[in-house]
Every structure is written in structure tokens, then in C-alpha cells.
Amino acid sequence: MKKAIYPGSFDPVTFGHLDIIKRSTKIFDEIVVAVLNNSQKNSLFSVDERVTMITELVKDYPNVSVVSFEGLTVDFAKKIDANIIIRGLRAVTDFEYELQIAQVNHVENTDLETVFLTTSLNYSYLSSSVVREFASHGGDITKFVPKEIIPRIMEKYK
Ligand code: ADP
């Protein structure tokens, strides 16, 4: 059984994240999308709101579940018995940071492997912060996030 965890802030989830999830379903038996509850980060959506939105959007994938977690990804992965971490790589700018985190995690737990999926070209520019920036100025975000969650994002900037 290949059980993988896909951790992140997902504030909010974008087409880039959903693309990584969809492609992961073909590689791994079970995927747990793990939404980080980071009290130090000033997030737009509460962790429960983020979990709810992703859960709705992945409902057609039987092997994907969505949960929240606090603390270190390595600890949470161990707790739920996942030995693969999925991360998305957009540009070289992601690489240095991601490599460091992956190596630290491997030192912490040698059974844990990080697998990187490169972003689809059409989403390589896309990040949650781009979505927040556009939405905050009333910009068009239909190319960035599914239409189901657009009203919830716009509501935050009313
Ligand atoms: P974090 O705060 O942990 O970076 P994010 O929610 O920003 O959380 O991202 C979670 C994961 O999704 C990261 O591995 C990130 O590189 C990846 N990711 C974000 N946006 C995209 C995208 N457009 N295409 C592919 N992967 C992405």
C-alpha cells in the first residue's frame, strides 16, 4: 500500500494544487491532503474552511481524504502511517527550499521519502498568494481556482 501525504497551507486551494492531487491519484494508493494549521501564519481562511473546500473539490477521488494537522509534517506522516510526502515544484525558486526540507525530513525519519511532481506548465505561475492578491483587488480569478469556491474567496474581501 503506497500511502502518501500532500501537506501544505492551501490558503486557498488552487488549480495547481488540484492538478498535483489528480496526478497523484494515479501513482499512489491513498493520498491524504494535510492542511497545516499554522497559528503563526495569518491565513485568509481558517483551517476548517480550507479542509471543507478541498473536501468538496476532491469528492470524486475515492482514494483522497483531507485532514488538518499541527506541528511537523514528519510527525504527522508517522502518526497516520504514510511514508511518502508529495510536494509540487513550480520553478527553480522552489527547489532550494524544498530540497532542504526534504533532506531534513529524511534525516528525521529515514523511512520517509519525498516525491516531487513538477507543475503542469499552465499552472507554473500560480500560487495561493497570487489568488489572494488578485481577489483583494477585485481581479478575475476564474483561471486560478474552481468556480465553486470563488464566492467564498470574494466574501473575504468584501
Ligand atoms: P506551503 O505553504 O507548504 O508551501 P502551499 O499551499 O503553498 O503550501 O503549497 C503546497 C504544495 O503545493 C507545495 O509543495 C507547493 O510547491 C505546491 N504547489 C503550490 N502551487 C502549485 C502549482 N501551481 N503547481 C504545482 N504545485 C504547486
Side-chain angles (χ1 to χ4, degrees), residues 8 12 22 24 28 32 40 52 54 61 72-73 86 99 103 111 113 117 122 124 142 145 155 158:
K22 183 177 173 189
S24 299
F28 306 107
V32 179
Q40 272 148 23
T52 304
I54 305 170
Y61 303 119
L72 294 175
T73 305
I86 302 165
L99 181 69
Q103 288 172 336
D111 292 331
E113 298 292 351
L117 295 186
N122 38 340
S124 57
T142 51
V145 300
E155 179 71 18
K158 260 197 354 209

Side-chain angles (χ1 to χ4, degrees), residues 6-20 23 34 36 38 41 50 69 73 85-91 94 97-98 115-120 122-129 132 144:
Y6 179 37
S9 313
F10 308 104
D11 188 35
V13 67
T14 69
F15 281 134
H17 298 126
L18 293 166
D19 176 59
I20 296 285
R23 287 158 56 202
L36 179 63
N38 187 347
K41 230 176 171 177
R50 283 177 270 156
F69 78 107
T73 305
I85 297 180
I86 302 165
R87 294 288 287 175
L89 277 185
R90 277 160 297 190
D94 280 342
Y97 172 76
E98 292 292 343
V115 172
F116 294 105
L117 295 186
T118 50
T119 177
S120 299
N122 38 340
Y123 302 132
S124 57
Y125 62 86
L126 187 52
S127 64
S128 299
S129 55
R132 294 195 302 268
F144 306 158

Side-chain angles (χ1 to χ4, degrees), residues 23-80:
R23 287 158 56 202
S24 299
T25 61
K26 297 183 193 136
I27 307 172
F28 306 107
D29 299 305
E30 190 182 342
I31 294 130
V32 179
V33 180
V35 182
L36 179 63
N37 188 2
N38 187 347
S39 49
Q40 272 148 23
K41 230 176 171 177
N42 225 341
S43 54
L44 179 63
F45 287 97
S46 73
V47 71
D48 290 341
E49 288 173 321
R50 283 177 270 156
V51 169
T52 304
M53 284 190 281
I54 305 170
T55 305
E56 286 173 21
L57 296 168
V58 301
K59 64 177 187 317
D60 293 334
Y61 303 119
N63 57 342
V64 178
S65 58
V66 189
V67 297
S68 64
F69 78 107
E70 271 173 274
L72 294 175
T73 305
V74 267
D75 293 338
F76 186 67
K78 196 168 197 166
K79 191 172 152 195
I80 63 167

Side-chain angles (χ1 to χ4, degrees), residues 96-112:
E96 204 173 14
Y97 172 76
E98 292 292 343
L99 181 69
Q100 191 182 17
I101 299 287
Q103 288 172 336
V104 168
N105 286 343
H106 192 72
V107 168
E108 287 287 316
N109 177 357
T110 47
D111 292 331
L112 197 58

